[in-house]
Amino acid sequence: AGTIDHPVTRTYDCNSLQDVFSSSKVVASLCVALLASRGHLRYDQKVAEVWPEFAQHGKGDITVAEVMRHEAGCVKLAETLLSKDLTAERIRAGAVSEQLASQVPKWPKDTRREYHAETRGFYINEIFRRCHPEGLTVGQFLQQDVLPAVGIPGAFYFGVPESQDDRWVPMVPPP
């Protein structure tokens, strides 16, 4: 345990939510694997098969596996995504898909791998929602299918909903 803030006003406990940064890639990968195991997507599938606009700028042969392995070449966004467009509803409405699809890869296919720290989650989410039978985002799938099945509903979020703000732990530097 510990404390959430300085001076101490709230206790950090098992119900606290905190940023996990790139550790979330493991959770997203689990969701993709579940969707694949249910036959809704394939790792060898070209992204453009489910998202035709993605094929722009020579990306037509990039597979789901290559996105998962940080080999798509789209490591940075040309423009900043607007926070108002990052809700599940706006993502499902395609608010960021055009910007993602229009990215120019940094290198040609099959030539290199570079950590897609800033972009992989957005690309995976777009692929995921297009393959999911109900069009769910990774976060919605996690909340509806995964966490309840393992007995920990509400224990992890991709974007903390306002209703959970009181559980969110801000990053505070040591005193």
Side-chain angles (χ1 to χ4, degrees), residues 15-167:
N15 292 311
S16 299
L17 296 172
Q18 68 182 48
D19 288 324
V20 294
F21 301 103
S22 288
S23 296
S24 66
K25 288 176 176 62
V26 174
V27 178
S29 295
L30 169 69
C31 292
V32 170
L34 286 168
L35 201 63
S37 75
R38 295 174 183 179
H40 299 300
L41 70 82
R42 298 182 331 273
Y43 289 102
D44 65 348
Q45 184 173 27
K46 292 179 181 177
V47 174
E49 288 178 21
V50 297
W51 183 10
E53 300 84 358
F54 180 82
Q56 296 176 58
H57 307 294
K59 299 188 307 282
D61 289 331
I62 292 174
T63 65
V64 172
E66 289 167 324
V67 172
M68 299 299 292
R69 292 189 312 249
H70 304 267
E71 296 173 353
C74 299
V75 296
K76 297 249 185 225
L77 294 173
E79 298 175 29
T80 302
L81 296 174
L82 301 175
S83 60
K84 71 179 179 82
D85 289 334
L86 300 179
T87 64
E89 294 76 27
R90 295 282 296 143
I91 288 170
R92 286 180 76 180
V96 299
S97 60
E98 184 178 320
Q99 183 179 347
L100 294 170
S102 69
Q103 291 297 117
V104 177
K106 232 175 125 173
W107 59 81
K109 181 177 164 44
D110 297 327
T111 61
R112 98 182 239 211
R113 178 182 292 175
E114 183 176 326
Y115 188 49
H116 289 51
E118 299 173 15
T119 59
R120 182 176 176 263
F122 292 116
Y123 282 105
I124 288 172
N125 199 45
E126 193 64 31
I127 295 164
F128 188 95
R129 76 175 187 85
R130 288 167 182 266
C131 293
H132 190 279
E134 297 170 32
L136 297 182
T137 65
V138 174
Q140 290 171 319
F141 178 76
L142 182 70
Q143 294 304 315
Q144 289 181 24
D145 287 28
V146 179
L147 297 178
V150 295
I152 53 171
F156 191 101
Y157 292 92
F158 286 104
V160 178
E162 286 183 30
S163 64
Q164 301 298 313
D165 277 352
D166 62 322
R167 295 176 57 207

